[in-house]
Amino acid sequence: MTRPKQKTEEYIYAKRAASLLGEAWDIKDPESEQDWPDLVVRLGCDTFGLEVREIYADEERRGSPKRRGESHRERALERAADEYYKGNAIPVRVLFYGEPSDATRLAEKVAWAVQSLEILGNRRVTLAGGRWMCVLRLPIEVGDYRRWMSVSDSVGWVGTADCELIQKTIGQKAENLNRYHKHLCDVRLLLVADRTRNSGKLCFANTKELDTAGFDRIHLMSYPEDIIRIPAESGT
């Protein structure tokens, strides 16, 4: 079953893809998760299914080690934000470097740091083990801002996605096409390299030889900057 956070990210990626393509997608959840693609999209008079799949720089058979580490740190910062807002009403943005550990202790440090700040003022707090965080006080209108970020997971080099890996991923997703075609004739695939994270710092090149493997269209998106359509539109 798709987790709420994953479903939200699928929707965000689809909205950005539509924007980059210059198309007005009306994006909905499917009737059920069984035998349906991730999302159902209406474009004018047409309706198509959209499968959404992230692709990673260090992908292997069991997924991405980098992405697993990022997910661990994201959950730790989410717990710390939850602890902070249990007892504090001042909205904050936190940029954290290192491995977050004790959520309660981290929340206490944030609460201490923000008290002396003016709105939009920031403070760097040094922690044990070479870790540090930057706390920014936000306007009260922002509300409980929970997108605290790990700096070490968002800064890195951009590589080129391996075409063999892309083709393998397309083939894996195509295994479910017969099930999806029970409900929708047109099914497309959105492959996402999320460049806001180290695990997804990829660009797509040499894609002309890729096989769509039964998908009506494939979109390769380097989120949030760029998108490639396969097959390409006539004249492009």
Side-chain angles (χ1 to χ4, degrees), residues 71 128 149:
S71 294
M149 296 182 64

Side-chain angles (χ1 to χ4, degrees), residues 6-230:
Q6 180 183 345
K7 181 58 68 176
T8 299
E9 288 191 338
E10 289 170 356
Y11 183 82
I12 290 170
Y13 291 147
K15 289 289 286 185
R16 183 56 182 163
S19 176
L20 290 171
L21 292 166
E23 297 178 348
W25 290 4
D26 181 16
I27 305 165
K28 305 291 185 185
D29 288 336
E31 293 183 14
S32 73
E33 291 195 3
Q34 185 174 3
D35 294 337
W36 284 80
D38 295 317
L39 299 167
V40 176
V41 179
R42 191 165 205 175
L43 176 59
C45 297
D46 299 324
T47 299
F48 60 90
L50 186 70
E51 271 288 275
V52 183
R53 164 68 150 83
E54 284 191 70
I55 192 165
Y56 306 107
D58 62 337
E59 191 152 338
E60 54 187 34
R61 188 174 62 86
R62 297 184 63 185
S64 163
K66 278 187 179 180
R67 185 69 191 105
R68 284 195 292 273
E70 290 166 354
S71 294
H72 169 76
R73 287 181 284 276
E74 286 170 6
R75 289 192 296 269
L77 290 174
E78 286 169 4
R79 290 192 295 270
D82 287 342
E83 287 295 321
Y84 171 80
Y85 285 114
K86 283 179 182 177
N88 298 275
I90 300 173
V92 293
R93 185 186 72 175
V94 175
L95 301 179
F96 192 92
Y97 179 82
E99 287 289 335
S101 51
D102 187 333
T104 301
R105 181 64 176 151
L106 181 54
E108 290 172 351
K109 286 280 190 181
V110 172
W112 168 80
V114 77
Q115 293 300 325
S116 60
L117 295 176
E118 297 181 355
I119 294 174
L120 298 182
N122 67 84
R123 181 173 188 172
R124 177 171 167 145
V125 180
T126 302
L127 304 168
R131 302 175 303 158
W132 54 266
M133 64 180 175
C134 184
V135 179
L136 172 71
R137 180 169 180 166
L138 299 172
I140 197 69
E141 294 81 11
V142 172
D144 294 357
Y145 186 87
R146 297 173 182 271
R147 199 175 178 215
W148 296 10
M149 296 182 64
S150 170
V151 176
S152 51
D153 289 332
S154 58
V155 179
W157 296 100
V158 176
T160 301
D162 179 70
C163 284
E164 184 177 344
L165 170 62
I166 299 171
Q167 190 65 68
K168 181 181 178 181
T169 305
I170 294 170
Q172 290 170 344
K173 299 303 290 183
E175 292 174 2
N176 296 320
L177 276 174
N178 287 338
R179 292 164 43 209
Y180 302 154
H181 282 150
K182 295 176 184 178
H183 306 286
L184 295 158
C185 295
D186 185 341
V187 181
R188 307 180 187 184
L189 174 62
L190 175 62
L191 283 182
V192 181
D194 188 339
R195 287 167 63 169
T196 66
R197 301 179 176 125
N198 273 340
S199 61
K201 287 195 179 297
L202 292 168
C203 62
F204 296 102
N206 303 317
T207 59
K208 292 183 179 180
E209 302 302 318
L210 289 174
D211 183 354
T212 60
F215 284 101
D216 291 84
R217 188 166 293 168
I218 293 175
H219 301 294
L220 306 176
M221 181 168 67
S222 293
Y223 178 85
E225 295 103 345
D226 189 34
I227 196 164
I228 297 171
R229 187 184 344 225
I230 300 173

